[in-house]
Amino acid sequence: MSRLIRGNAVSADDWTELDDATAVPSTAKVIVSLARWRAERETLAAATAIGVRVDNSADIQTLWPELRDLPLVALEFPKSGDGRAFSQARLLREHCGYQGEIRAIGDVQRDHLQAMQRCGFDAFVPRDDQDLDDCLRALHEFDLAYQRAARDDLPLVWRLRRQA
Amino acid sequence: MYRYDEYDQKLVDERVAQFRDQTRRFLAGQLGEDEFRALRLRNGLYIQRFAPMLRIAIPYGLLSAAQMRMLAHIARKYDKGYGHFTTRQNIQFNWPKLPEVPDLLADLATVQMHAIQTSGNCIRNITADHLAGVANDELVDPRPYCELTRQWSSFHPEFNWLPRKFKFAFSASLNDRAATRVHDIGVHLVKNDAGELGYTIYVGGGLGRMPMLGHKIREFLPEVDLFSYLEAILRIYNLQGRRDNIHRARIKVLVKALGPEKFIELVEAEWAQIKDSYLKLLPQDIERMKGRFDVPAYVDETAADDGSYTAKLAADSKFAAWAKRNLRAHVRPGYAAVFVSLKANGVAPGDVTDAQMDALADLAEQYSFSELRATHDQNLVLADVARKDMYALWQRLSELGLATPNIGLLTDLICCPGLDFCSLANAGSIGVAQDIFDRFEDFDYQHDIGEIKLKMSGCMNGCGHHTVGHIGILGVDKSGEEWYQVTLGGSAENDAALGDRTGPSFSRADIAPAIEKIIQVYLEQRDGAEESFLHTYRRVGMGPFKARLYAKVSAETEVAA
């Protein structure tokens, strides 16, 4: 079982990512593409739990009726430098009010993790070459922020100034 | 001057620590070339033709004397003794060594400076009118709004990996001195009919390969809604801007592809969802920001002007020529804004030595409330000089080679570093600037020609803003040779327009003579000395210029045929 970062810790990944061809194990938590979820909804119901992988060109608010009851949505960074999923995560958290896990997959690197977290991601599957303990530290590289985003547990400069 | 509070300082210090660790990991082989590239770009560090190039942010062009002294120190310690002021009010150093850059950034942080987001596909340094706060055509000082926007955009978690770079400019005056229409977002501070302060928003301007003027997408945005509206624009761009082709990735391409109406519809729909959120500013946020800017302790007119200025104008014609050209009106009686020309003969436009920077810091302390500004025309401004000090200041600037009386004239040209320094360039620009300087060295002749903006870029990326020059020069590569295309009639001001190509390009040897021919045609065609180059061109059109420029070439073609 591969490892990931969730809730400020390195842990074993309890979900399995499936491509569209692999058969669904009968008792497992699986992540499938949105297309497969749409096509095989009934068969997939056999699995313990379903999470859906959403392409980074998808319109989150249009998809929301299909995503709202899922325990996990995986948003993809197909290559470093393509920042669309940062916006998708904020839309999912802030506009839609999604409470489930938003998982970062793809080209997930240490140096981008804190920004992902601030945009609403709460689980990260770093690229194979990344040092997970170092990734954990990277989540706390800055302990202050100018602007609020989806998650606002960092001290925010404007709020501190208003309180002063 | 905006003064950091403890939070601003902490964030900059944390950024230095972050970059130090990133550099360490890269040098230790733990961070790949591509990964590090994206990170160092967000700290202003390019790997250039000969060495890294580091671009340091000067938010809205404002510098303290202490900061200028630090730039001098950096020029000495990490560079070859000079720096280069850019067309976006920043400064670049061409020779720092990568392992030393974290120390350089730590030095900068001690004077509240940084290189955050000065390159890379993110929100870049916010630029503004270099006469902000002292101009007599100004509605309100735009700089507190620029600083609010700088802070909102710094380390923004959502908008650090945009399709392409993103540039803001602010203006709050009748005359647009910040080239707002050629920025990704141009913000004009305005008042509505009810007398309330707010913003007119332009989106999708830009230079480079596809020069375009920005579209007005909102006539009036209330003052407290700035951040939510900007987030709406940036979010639409981040999600929908093209990422498949670097040359089609700027927001101007998205606005053009969708059409401004559709773009506005998308932005307004997104904005409707966030305008009443935590992004709304409170009036006290704006007041607090205004309060963090130093207010110069001006003296009254009789104390500022003891009569010596007028006497010296009459007594010293060189001083008078400089004052006529390089001073601008100030909102306070007895004061003037002084332009420090960085366009001296024999010097690359925008270059300043460490000794000059130190001396300018001294002069700022002595005569201008310890502040300087960088302009997007690559000059500096001492914005608050009392008339009684003017002669002494001029004498000192003259000794320093910083009193060339050419502000707004032909040799006050702007140009990018070109092939001499830049790995993107197709052709040299500094050498051409020198040729033009030599050809028009006579200042009387330049004065006779009058206000004219010559802008030159060494490649299509257009860092020298050639497309909005009254005369624009663009360096191109033709089978390994440097050639130059010429455009006429561009402007980045209120009458913003993109220049028209004259025709075939000119060789390195022919470009300066071509500029001279253009000037000759203008002098012949103008309706008296009052008619500017731009006005004359717009009246008579390309015809007479084209005829003169290509007369000889056609004759040769006929002979050859």
Side-chain angles (χ1 to χ4, degrees), chain A residues 56 61 79-84 86-88 90-91 94-95 109-112 115 118-119 127 129 134 141-150 157-158 160-162, chain B residues 2 5 7-8 10-11 14-15 18 21-22 25 31 35 39 150-152 154-159 161-162 231 235 238-239 243 270 273-274 278 280-282 285 288:
Chain A
N56 79 343
Q61 285 181 280
K79 59 175 186 192
S80 128
D82 185 340
R84 281 176 279 189
F86 287 106
S87 289
Q88 287 181 313
R90 283 194 74 184
L91 291 173
E94 297 184 74
H95 289 21
Q109 300 172 31
R110 174 211 185 281
D111 292 282
H112 306 172
R118 291 182 57 203
C119 286
R127 228 169 51 186
D129 62 347
D134 198 29
E141 213 148 47
F142 286 90
D143 52 16
L144 192 64
Y146 275 127
Q147 59 295 89
R148 183 170 155 184
V157 171
W158 59 264
L160 291 166
R161 285 177 181 156
R162 280 178 188 174
Chain B
Y2 172 75
D5 63 13
Y7 310 120
D8 299 311
K10 189 171 177 20
L11 278 162
E14 287 185 350
R15 176 62 149 202
Q18 181 193 44
D21 185 57
Q22 289 166 348
R25 283 185 279 131
L31 188 61
E35 287 83 355
L39 299 172
R150 181 191 78 82
Q151 296 187 13
W152 163 79
S154 294
F155 318 115
H156 198 294
E158 184 179 350
F159 305 129
W161 304 95
L162 298 169
E231 288 215 358
R235 182 166 294 148
N238 191 41
L239 287 166
R243 292 173 187 266
E270 177 58 28
Q273 300 183 73
I274 57 178
Y278 54 78
K280 199 182 270 293
L281 283 158
L282 298 178
D285 296 332
R288 191 185 310 107

Side-chain angles (χ1 to χ4, degrees), chain B residues 30-44:
Chain B
Q30 296 162 15
L31 188 61
E33 188 88 43
D34 288 347
E35 287 83 355
F36 183 61
R37 179 176 175 277
L39 299 172
R40 66 170 161 76
L41 284 176
R42 279 156 184 79
N43 286 282

Side-chain angles (χ1 to χ4, degrees), chain A:
Chain A
M1 200 174 271
S2 59
R3 299 196 309 162
L4 85 170
I5 289 177
R6 183 195 280 143
N8 243 333
V10 176
S11 57
D13 190 356
D14 49 340
W15 289 80
T16 306
E17 247 201 86
L18 292 186
D19 59 34
D20 288 354
T22 308
V24 179
S26 58
T27 55
K29 297 161 90 171
V30 296
I31 302 170
V32 297
S33 69
L34 179 66
R36 189 167 185 187
W37 170 237
R38 284 172 172 169
E40 303 175 30
R41 226 173 148 140
E42 286 174 18
T43 339
L44 286 168
T48 320
I50 305 294
V52 165
R53 192 162 63 231
V54 175
D55 192 87
N56 79 343
S57 59
D59 180 342
I60 290 294
Q61 285 181 280
T62 307
L63 289 183
W64 174 237
E66 294 179 83
L67 304 178
R68 62 187 314 151
D69 296 324
L70 295 169
L72 181 150
V73 174
L75 298 178
E76 193 171 8
F77 293 87
K79 59 175 186 192
S80 128
D82 185 340
R84 281 176 279 189
F86 287 106
S87 289
Q88 287 181 313
R90 283 194 74 184
L91 291 173
L92 200 48
R93 285 279 183 241
E94 297 184 74
H95 289 21
C96 305
Y98 181 65
Q99 300 287 324
E101 176 173 314
I102 302 182
R103 169 178 289 220
I105 60 170
D107 192 353
V108 176
Q109 300 172 31
R110 174 211 185 281
D111 292 282
H112 306 172
L113 292 180
Q114 191 171 18
M116 291 177 184
Q117 185 175 50
R118 291 182 57 203
C119 286
F121 287 95
D122 54 1
F124 312 89
V125 184
R127 228 169 51 186
D128 287 344
D129 62 347
Q130 305 286 299
D131 176 331
L132 292 185
D133 292 321
D134 198 29
C135 284
L136 268 187
R137 281 191 291 277
L139 287 173
H140 307 283
E141 213 148 47
F142 286 90
D143 52 16
L144 192 64
Y146 275 127
Q147 59 295 89
R148 183 170 155 184
R151 188 167 148 168
D152 72 337
D153 50 355
L154 271 183
L156 301 174
V157 171
W158 59 264
R159 194 183 284 158
L160 291 166
R161 285 177 181 156
R162 280 178 188 174
Q163 286 162 357

